[in-house]
Amino acid sequence: MDAKSLTFSFASSGTPEADAAAKRLSRRYGQMPFGQADIVVALGGDGFLLQTLRETMSTGKRVYGMNRGTVGFLMNEYSEDALPGRLAAAVAETIRPLEMETIDDTGAATQALAINEVSLLRQSYQAARLRISVDGKVRLEDLICDGVMVATPAGSTAYNLSAHGPILPLDAPLLALTPVSPFRPRRWRGALLPKTAVVRFEILEERKRPVNAVADHTEVKSVVSVEVKESASHTATLLFDAGHSWSERILAEQFKY
């Protein structure tokens, strides 16, 4: 990328800190309409960056996050200096979201995309009971738990990590299948699946033990079945500083204690 010719659209999460940063950067480097800029600079935290990625999904638009929020694992360090050169040298990572398809207790179907994870969570005080199939074969006949999720490499450091799931390099051809507070089988800690896997969840005793399904910010209540797979058609592109790549962050995160 030629640093001198780059154009930017600075997007704020709406906090005072992010708004002020967007104004300063716009005055210094110019502000293009969202759809016309070479690079969208998202100012906020990880949640706002994910929202920006959803808005630019499959457009080829590159998104560069700078941390002006409370959580910023996916964000680059905030600095207003030499931004064109910094972005010209940035490393691009293309990620694919998950496709979720649900059937609820009325028979209605819902489709949604998730950049981080698709999670199934109990709706009441009753633990969920689930049957899990991978590529048409039942792998776990009866999981009793608070929930379970399928996480992408990009989402492996979010809810998946909090549930003690594995951290995945961004270019790993894998998905993480991670339970949330499993009761039976008590020692099951999840599985690593090839990214081509199609995961199907069937809710057992769905009336007694209702379950909600969530794809990032999209929630479907009282599901009876959920199918999850990596999208073959949708992509999003993230930019990381050359000296602070996603791979380096993943490696460093695994040695924290």
Side-chain angles (χ1 to χ4, degrees):
M1 291 184 286
D2 182 5
K4 294 182 180 179
S5 64
L6 285 176
T7 58
F8 309 105
S9 180
F10 296 100
S12 167
S13 64
T15 66
E17 189 177 24
D19 283 346
K23 289 179 181 179
R24 291 194 301 270
L25 289 164
S26 297
R27 285 196 298 266
R28 186 167 179 177
Y29 298 109
Q31 173 78 345
M32 291 289 287
F34 191 86
Q36 298 176 24
D38 294 319
I39 297 173
V40 176
V41 179
L43 300 161
D46 283 351
F48 181 66
L49 179 63
L50 291 173
Q51 176 185 325
T52 306
L53 287 172
R54 284 191 290 269
E55 293 173 357
T56 59
M57 188 76 68
S58 300
T59 64
K61 195 71 64 182
R62 293 163 293 179
V63 179
Y64 179 84
M66 282 205 291
N67 194 2
R68 293 285 84 185
T70 54
V71 179
F73 193 87
L74 296 173
M75 311 298 281
N76 297 284
E77 182 180 351
Y78 182 79
S79 175
E80 297 179 14
D81 296 328
L83 187 59
R86 187 177 171 187
L87 290 177
V91 177
E93 297 279 4
T94 298
I95 60 177
R96 290 187 178 275
L98 298 173
E99 295 179 351
M100 176 184 80
E101 182 167 353
T102 67
I103 304 295
D104 68 17
D105 59 358
T106 69
T110 301
Q111 293 82 35
L113 297 176
I115 294 172
N116 266 1
E117 77 278 319
V118 170
S119 54
L120 281 72
L121 303 167
R122 68 176 188 175
Q123 194 181 113
S124 70
Y125 67 92
Q126 291 274 16
R129 287 188 63 199
L130 310 167
R131 180 182 296 121
I132 303 176
S133 301
V134 179
D135 293 332
K137 182 175 182 178
V138 175
R139 293 293 182 179
L140 197 53
E141 187 66 44
D142 193 351
L143 172 64
I144 302 176
C145 58
D146 281 352
V148 66
M149 75 187 79
V150 180
T152 66
S156 67
T157 57
Y159 187 19
N160 173 73
L161 181 59
S162 297
H164 307 292
I167 299 175
L168 303 177
L170 200 59
D171 57 355
L174 298 169
L175 301 174
L177 176 62
T178 303
V180 179
S181 301
F183 180 67
R184 290 286 188 275
R186 193 180 297 275
R187 295 185 180 180
W188 188 65
R189 290 295 178 262
L192 289 175
L193 305 176
K195 67 176 185 178
T196 56
V198 178
V199 186
R200 180 176 175 81
F201 302 96
E202 297 170 80
I203 287 69
L204 309 176
E205 298 183 290
E206 70 273 8
R207 294 191 180 280
K208 179 181 178 183
R209 303 170 184 271
V211 170
N212 294 346
V214 183
D216 283 353
H217 68 303
T218 301
E219 183 174 28
V220 182
K221 295 186 178 298
S222 302
V223 295
V224 297
S225 69
V226 179
E227 186 172 283
V228 182
K229 61 183 178 182
E230 184 183 81
S231 176
S233 56
H234 297 283
T235 61
T237 302
L238 270 172
L239 293 176
F240 294 102
D241 286 333
H244 194 49
S245 68
W246 176 267
S247 297
E248 171 58 30
R249 296 180 210 193
I250 290 295
L251 188 61
E253 185 70 23
Q254 293 178 86
F255 287 90
K256 291 182 178 179
Y257 57 91

